[in-house]
Amino acid sequence: MKYTFSFLAVIALVLIAWLGSQIPGMQYLFGVAIPYLAIMIFLGGFVYRVVQWAKSPVPFSIPTTCGQGASLDFIKQDKLDCPTKTSEVVARMFLEIVTFRSLFRNTKSELHEGPKITYESSKWLWLFALIFHYSFLVVVIRHMRLFLNPVPAWLEFLDFLDAGAALQVGAPLLYATDLALVLGVVLLFGRRLVNRQVRYISLANDYFPLFLIFGIATTGILMRYFLRTNIDIISIKELLVGLVTFSPVFAAKIGSIFYIHLFLVSTLLIYFPFSKLMHLGGVFMSPTRNMANNSRAKRHINPWNDPTIKPHSYAGYEDEFREFMVDAGIPVEKELPPQKDE
Amino acid sequence: MALAKLEQLSKSVVQGPSLATGAVPTKDWMETPAIFKEGNFAYPAKKEKVEYLNSQAGLEFPNARIWSPDEDDWKLPENWQEIILNGLKERLGKFRSLKIFMDCCVRCGACADKCHFFLGTGDPKNMPVLRAELLRSIYRNDFTLAGKLFGKMAGAREMTVGVLKEWFMYSYQCTECRRCSVFCPYGIDTAEVTMMLRELLHLVGVGINWILEPASNSNRTGNHMGLQPHTFKDNVDFLAEDLETLTGVKINHSFNRKGAEVLFITPSADVFAEPGLYTAMGYLALFEQIGLDYTWSTYASEGGNFGLFTSNELMKKLNAKMYAEAKRLGVKYIIGGECGHMWRVIHQYMDTMNGPADFLEVPKSPLTGTVFNNAASTKMVHISEFTADLIRHGKIKLDPSRNSHVLPTYHDSCNPARAMGLMDEPRYILDHVVPKWVEMPENTIREQTFCCGSGTGLNTDEIMELRMRAGLPRANAVKHVIDKHDVNMLSCVCAIDRATLTSLMNYWNPGCGVCGLSELVGNALVMDNEKRAMGYDAEGNETELPEGFRTMV
């Protein structure tokens, strides 16, 4: 099965980092070289992909209109779903990107005897996607505390909220988003298996990022809550602050679980620009969503429009049919010659 | 192939092997070849039609030949693979949409059951996501690092004749209706993908006759039907005479008249066959009553544009006649009749391809003074916009009771709904021309409307079962309001719909008629000095035009 391969690939990555980081001297590779490489590939690759997209023009104005357009003054325009102004497009895009509005529309159709087709609202995918993406986002932001010295107040506050949301006391504080991220991954993976249509279309590269992120989340959780031997947060922070200030240092021995975590994150960063994860960038650039529906009011320019493509000319048309036209009393540009056509 | 009986097909769509109802194929889709047999493909384009198009300046339609999809050998050019891959490369450079849509899909499956072809056939490759994967797999293989490194594991595969055949099958089982793109979180529009597939297929001479013949007709005679100028005029004259018989009002219309204020262009099907004829009579009656200074054109006698279903070059060439004729005749602006894909071309492509129309004026209704700023650049107004404005300003007198023989529902055509945003103008008109009308269920109207199942040039008889399957979601929603509200008429603003929905209703919902909105406007229109003909209504009483323009007198 396709997910077996993806699963084994992630297991292999874990083993590589686990075994590799125990070889003396290899900590530098897993703690410094690979992370640097990963960040470079991620940033460079991401920019490269976006630039590649931007290089291709948008020849035609092709927004998908999902509501009434602007026309007569007594017809109410749906400004969000059929925007004409830039501000309206921005609002449409904002809600799309921040609230996954198109997924909120999702329906499930069923065929019954009769035949009769029914449609009902289906918000599971929307919900799972929100849980996953937002918890991932908060987890990423929370990690900034490991790179910043001193930790800014807003980050402390976010930390406080996240831990507080999990409604517990004691140390280490459990983060709500840690649970939500794992839950989100599990739900999205479960959906891929349970929904027959999605199962049929899923590729190995749909399962791989799910397993990878699952691996990242669980190693992070293990490190924070369970495998705390040799996890000296001070030396980890020293290493990470050192990385972002381009002066990496190794103060003390750090447990393998940290290297596994870091290696999986590095893999995700490297994998990102070459995969469907680029939807993060693409969602901003989709012409069916980010264009105004004003193509009759304002001319959209196609840079490769070919001016040499002309219609079959009227003159050619009249030449072919002039006799019939004159007979039928249709006005012509050139009257029939006395004897025969030229 | 004979069309399956209603009972058989009704069972088959629910119980047949269908991913839509639960039968998951055991074989991976990449291992499942497309198999052609009579009835599941539209006939290939005739050699002479391809040759004709290829001979036209600005167009390339190579490899004209006699071939058939159900034969093994498609007689492709020797270097067909190279042609296709180069063609794909070129298009990736020309269309950002293609690149983004190839790269961003996460296969979340939101689109899967949104496609009418998938719901009606249950064929996995009719899920929009898989339809796009047919191309995406090739894109990965030849244009992405992941595909080159990991091959099939990354969802890549090599371009083979089998893949090409698959492209042909499934790009012609998509009506480019854009319903999937409404639900996609990235707005991925399968229409864009299918358009590219069809363009690529034309590069190696693979196309269907039902598209290329009307397109070549349109190029030569001005319209899809191939009506020559005198015949086109005869047809309209005939409708005008009928209208005079029905209403007692003499209709004054003209052709190719220089100096008219307005050029009127509608799909030629409206002057060619029922029920479109009644829609055309509606236009004639309305323009006569308001005394519009307008002309028809025999040269630009086609609103529709089968180039949209072929290639952007052909679309541009066919569309260019509209502005060329408007310029030649010296009109101020253009009014366009009811048609779906025609309006996608006008709204989203025309000005870009063939503008700027700086020789025209911003459309202004001569009766109400309304300036159509939404068409300030294209200078082309939709008949529903024009009519709604007349009604709003009380410039026409309407008697809805004249339509009391119908209880309509309204079908949003795909393109006006999802590529234009024309939804409430027709509803506003309906509110004023019929005593009562009802909406179909909310998941089947407006931006979620279902295609007639035969758009984008698929309204050909040899694939009737496919069409009836693909039209099932639309027909089923109509049936819902027939059962619940006794609806007997399906109104729309699309010429392809008027033809295809008629077949669809005859099959799934016999007894339900199909009409253009302008027919209902014409029926309800109170004209000056009218003397309406008498006929017999359903109860046998003699009354004025009991069935509107359809009354036999």
Side-chain angles (χ1 to χ4, degrees):
Chain A
M1 295 299 278
K2 285 163 179 164
Y3 50 83
T4 321
F5 173 79
S6 301
F7 179 71
L8 292 177
V10 174
I11 295 292
L13 290 169
V14 170
L15 289 175
I16 290 169
W18 184 44
L19 299 174
S21 66
Q22 299 189 18
I23 302 168
M26 290 298 265
Q27 288 85 351
Y28 188 83
L29 179 70
F30 286 94
V32 178
I34 291 175
Y36 270 139
L37 183 71
I39 283 284
M40 268 158 43
I41 290 177
F42 173 72
L43 293 177
F46 198 103
V47 170
Y48 174 79
R49 293 300 294 274
V50 171
V51 168
Q52 282 300 309
W53 287 333
K55 269 189 177 168
S56 294
V58 180
F60 302 111
S61 174
I62 54 163
T64 304
T65 57
C66 299
Q68 171 63 39
S71 70
L72 298 156
D73 54 12
F74 58 93
I75 303 277
K76 193 171 177 287
Q77 182 202 352
D78 185 338
K79 294 186 173 172
L80 216 44
D81 281 315
C82 201
T84 41
K85 297 198 193 94
T86 306
S87 57
E88 294 160 4
V89 174
V90 169
R92 186 188 200 191
M93 290 299 292
F94 179 83
L95 287 178
E96 187 65 75
I97 292 164
V98 172
T99 70
F100 306 169
R101 198 153 162 268
S102 291
L103 285 182
F104 192 73
R105 279 196 193 101
N106 198 20
T107 56
K108 182 177 193 295
S109 35
E110 274 178 2
L111 278 103
H112 305 274
E113 292 295 333
K116 186 168 179 58
I117 311 180
T118 56
Y119 312 90
E120 57 180 70
S121 172
S122 172
K123 306 223 184 300
W124 295 114
L125 175 57
W126 172 79
L127 185 69
F128 296 173
L130 274 186
I131 293 173
F132 170 76
H133 284 89
Y134 274 97
S135 51
F136 202 167
L137 178 67
V138 173
V139 168
V140 169
I141 294 174
R142 269 204 287 103
H143 275 70
M144 290 304 123
R145 69 180 295 120
L146 299 171
F147 299 93
L148 299 170
N149 212 3
V151 177
W154 64 267
L155 201 50
E156 294 283 13
F157 184 64
L158 178 74
D159 226 66
F160 168 76
L161 282 182
D162 198 353
L167 289 174
Q168 38 80 59
V169 287
L173 287 173
L174 178 67
Y175 291 116
T177 48
D178 282 354
L179 299 176
L181 178 57
V182 174
L183 180 71
V185 173
V186 169
L187 289 172
L188 288 175
F189 176 68
R191 182 177 170 277
R192 266 199 197 279
L193 294 187
V194 172
N195 184 313
R196 58 179 180 259
Q197 290 145 7
V198 182
R199 187 169 71 234
Y200 193 66
I201 57 177
S202 292
L203 301 168
N205 39 350
D206 294 316
Y207 293 110
F208 179 69
L210 284 173
F211 286 125
L212 188 59
I213 293 166
F214 184 80
I216 290 170
T218 45
T219 50
I221 288 168
L222 284 174
M223 180 167 31
R224 180 172 165 82
Y225 305 106
F226 303 105
L227 303 177
R228 295 177 63 81
T229 329
N230 278 336
I231 296 303
D232 174 10
I233 193 71
I234 308 287
S235 28
I236 289 179
K237 182 151 183 177
E238 268 176 12
L239 170 64
L240 296 177
V241 171
L243 281 177
V244 290
T245 53
F246 299 107
S247 46
V249 282
F250 285 97
K253 189 176 182 310
I254 307 175
S256 291
I257 187 75
F258 168 75
Y259 289 105
I260 297 172
H261 185 67
L262 191 60
F263 187 62
L264 294 182
V265 172
S266 300
T267 308
L268 183 67
L269 289 172
I270 292 167
Y271 179 72
F272 202 104
F274 305 102
S275 71
K276 68 168 192 175
L277 302 181
M278 278 306 290
H279 67 267
L280 169 64
V283 66
F284 289 88
M285 293 175 74
S286 175
T288 58
R289 288 287 188 275
N290 72 6
M291 300 184 84
N293 178 46
N294 61 357
S295 39
R296 261 195 299 157
K298 196 168 170 287
R299 184 167 183 241
H300 176 84
I301 303 294
N302 172 6
W304 50 262
N305 191 32
D306 182 355
T308 64
I309 297 179
K310 305 272 188 217
H312 174 57
S313 71
Y314 175 80
Y317 169 84
E318 193 183 293
D319 284 347
E320 184 175 355
F321 299 113
R322 185 171 294 112
E323 240 173 287
F324 295 123
M325 292 173 80
V326 172
D327 268 1
I330 300 169
V332 284
E333 298 275 347
K334 254 163 70 180
E335 290 303 328
L336 285 173
Q339 274 131 21
K340 70 179 196 58
D341 215 330
E342 57 190 331
Chain B
M1 196 173 82
L3 181 56
K5 290 263 186 317
L6 180 63
E7 297 76 39
Q8 285 175 313
L9 197 57
S10 300
K11 278 211 181 88
S12 169
V13 291
V14 184
Q15 299 167 355
S18 156
L19 182 59
T21 58
V24 184
T26 47
K27 264 210 253 172
D28 189 74
W29 65 266
M30 281 195 199
E31 318 298 329
T32 314
I35 294 166
F36 293 88
K37 46 182 195 274
E38 189 69 23
N40 77 355
F41 61 88
Y43 294 150
K46 288 178 192 149
K47 187 165 174 256
E48 65 269 23
K49 298 297 165 194
V50 180
E51 279 165 347
Y52 170 77
L53 285 171
N54 195 41
S55 73
Q56 298 301 300
L59 301 180
E60 271 181 64
F61 284 85
N63 201 20
R65 71 208 180 284
I66 296 167
W67 67 286
S68 179
D70 56 357
E71 283 164 15
D72 277 345
D73 183 6
W74 282 20
K75 302 177 188 168
L76 300 169
E78 211 163 286
N79 59 338
W80 70 269
Q81 200 181 29
E82 187 191 337
I83 297 173
I84 293 279
L85 292 177
N86 285 340
L88 179 54
K89 189 176 177 197
E90 183 194 335
R91 280 158 187 78
L92 287 165
K94 283 166 94 175
F95 295 89
R96 185 182 301 167
S97 54
L98 180 62
K99 260 191 193 164
I100 301 254
F101 296 166
M102 287 297 103
D103 284 331
C104 287
C105 177
V106 298
R107 284 159 299 282
C108 73
C111 59
D113 61 352
K114 307 305 180 285
C115 174
H116 51 290
F117 268 100
F118 177 65
L119 290 172
T121 64
D123 186 334
K125 287 175 194 167
N126 274 328
M127 290 188 283
V129 47
L130 212 42
R131 199 186 313 279
E133 288 288 317
L134 301 181
L135 175 59
R136 208 175 270 128
S137 52
I138 303 305
Y139 165 74
R140 285 196 196 99
N141 195 62
D142 291 271
F143 298 92
T144 70
L145 185 65
K148 281 174 186 158
L149 288 179
F150 299 107
K152 212 179 151 193
M153 210 45 96
R157 61 174 176 171
E158 209 187 323
M159 184 72 209
T160 62
V161 174
V163 172
L164 188 91
K165 292 185 173 182
E166 213 174 28
W167 284 6
F168 177 68
M169 178 169 274
Y170 295 100
S171 62
Y172 289 94
Q173 287 188 29
C174 166
T175 48
E176 300 174 357
C177 81
R178 314 186 95 200
R179 190 170 191 267
C180 48
S181 94
V182 169
F183 294 91
C184 175
Y186 319 116
I188 295 175
D189 181 6
T190 307
E192 290 292 303
V193 176
T194 311
M195 284 173 178
M196 292 300 119
L197 285 175
R198 291 185 180 188
E199 283 196 8
L200 291 172
L201 290 169
H202 285 298
L203 297 180
V204 293
V206 174
I208 71 170
N209 201 56
W210 197 259
I211 294 175
L212 293 191
E213 181 161 345
S216 40
N217 284 345
S218 189
N219 191 63
R220 178 171 160 252
T221 67
N223 56 73
H224 291 155
M225 300 297 162
L227 306 176
Q228 299 188 2
H230 51 298
T231 317
F232 184 82
K233 178 175 182 291
D234 275 354
N235 284 20
V236 180
D237 287 348
F238 188 71
L239 293 175
E241 280 164 32
D242 270 4
L243 199 54
E244 188 174 346
T245 312
L246 291 166
T247 61
V249 178
K250 168 104 178 68
I251 304 298
N252 298 288
H253 59 288
S254 55
F255 298 89
N256 302 9
R257 177 166 62 89
K258 288 191 176 177
E261 183 177 353
V262 173
L263 168 63
F264 177 66
I265 303 176
T266 197
S268 62
D270 283 352
V271 303
F272 188 76
E274 290 188 34
L277 297 179
Y278 307 114
T279 307
M281 286 161 79
Y283 306 140
L284 286 165
L286 178 72
F287 296 156
E288 181 62 34
Q289 173 57 24
I290 63 172
L292 185 72
D293 176 16
Y294 80 107
T295 182
W296 296 75
S297 164
T298 61
Y299 167 67
S301 47
E302 181 58 65
N305 188 332
F306 275 28
L308 177 67
F309 314 143
T310 308
S311 70
N312 67 79
E313 291 86 4
L314 183 58
M315 165 168 60
K316 177 179 157 115
K317 189 171 175 75
L318 296 180
N319 171 263
K321 280 188 184 178
M322 291 192 183
Y323 280 153
E325 185 68 339
K327 193 171 186 176
R328 186 182 74 88
L329 297 178
V331 299
K332 287 185 178 160
Y333 63 96
I334 312 172
I335 295 180
E338 299 177 6
C339 180
H341 79 281
M342 157 184 172
W343 273 97
R344 174 151 206 217
V345 174
I346 292 164
H347 187 77
Q348 297 197 322
Y349 296 95
M350 176 156 82
D351 202 8
T352 300
M353 296 186 303
N354 291 313
D358 42 17
F359 48 89
L360 295 174
E361 293 174 16
V362 177
K364 181 179 172 183
S365 172
L367 285 101
T368 66
T370 299
V371 177
F372 293 91
N373 285 316
N374 62 328
S377 186
T378 50
K379 280 95 171 180
M380 187 148 176
V381 181
H382 192 285
I383 185 71
S384 291
E385 294 169 338
F386 187 77
T387 308
D389 176 63
L390 290 173
I391 296 174
R392 176 70 173 186
H393 289 87
K395 295 295 178 188
I396 49 175
K397 200 173 162 203
L398 296 162
D399 177 0
S401 74
R402 293 179 170 189
N403 273 317
S404 51
H405 59 291
V406 292
L407 201 177
T409 185
Y410 178 70
H411 162 71
D412 288 275
S413 304
C414 315
N415 287 299
R418 286 185 285 260
M420 190 179 175
L422 182 106
M423 302 182 191
D424 285 325
E425 295 89 343
R427 288 175 167 81
Y428 180 85
I429 294 170
L430 266 179
D431 287 342
H432 289 85
V433 298
V434 292
K436 185 189 169 195
W437 70 280
V438 294
E439 290 273 21
M440 284 180 274
E442 62 169 345
N443 293 118
T444 69
I445 55 168
R446 301 181 73 89
E447 75 277 5
Q448 297 193 31
T449 189
F450 273 109
C451 179
C452 62
S454 311
T456 62
L458 303 186
N459 46 329
T460 177
D461 286 355
E462 64 267 22
I463 50 168
M464 194 53 96
E465 181 175 323
L466 261 178
R467 291 172 51 193
M468 295 302 107
R469 283 176 177 272
L472 174 63
R474 171 39 76 222
N476 212 240
V478 177
K479 184 167 193 305
H480 179 79
V481 286
I482 291 174
D483 293 346
K484 211 170 158 188
H485 302 285
D486 293 323
V487 160
N488 62 10
M489 186 60 78
L490 180 54
S491 64
C492 61
V493 287
C494 174
I496 290 182
D497 277 333
R498 284 189 279 277
T500 61
L501 289 176
T502 302
S503 313
L504 192 70
M505 289 304 109
N506 288 344
Y507 187 78
W508 290 108
N509 307 317
C512 184
V514 177
C515 74
L517 190 55
S518 291
E519 176 187 345
L520 299 178
V521 173
N523 283 345
L525 186 69
V526 179
M527 300 180 77
D528 298 337
N529 308 316
E530 63 182 6
K531 191 175 176 305
R532 288 151 53 91
M534 305 300 281
Y536 293 94
D537 67 13
E539 281 83 46
N541 303 314
E542 195 177 22
T543 111
E544 279 186 4
L545 300 187
E547 292 180 63
F549 292 163
R550 299 190 186 195
T551 307
M552 302 292 283
V553 291

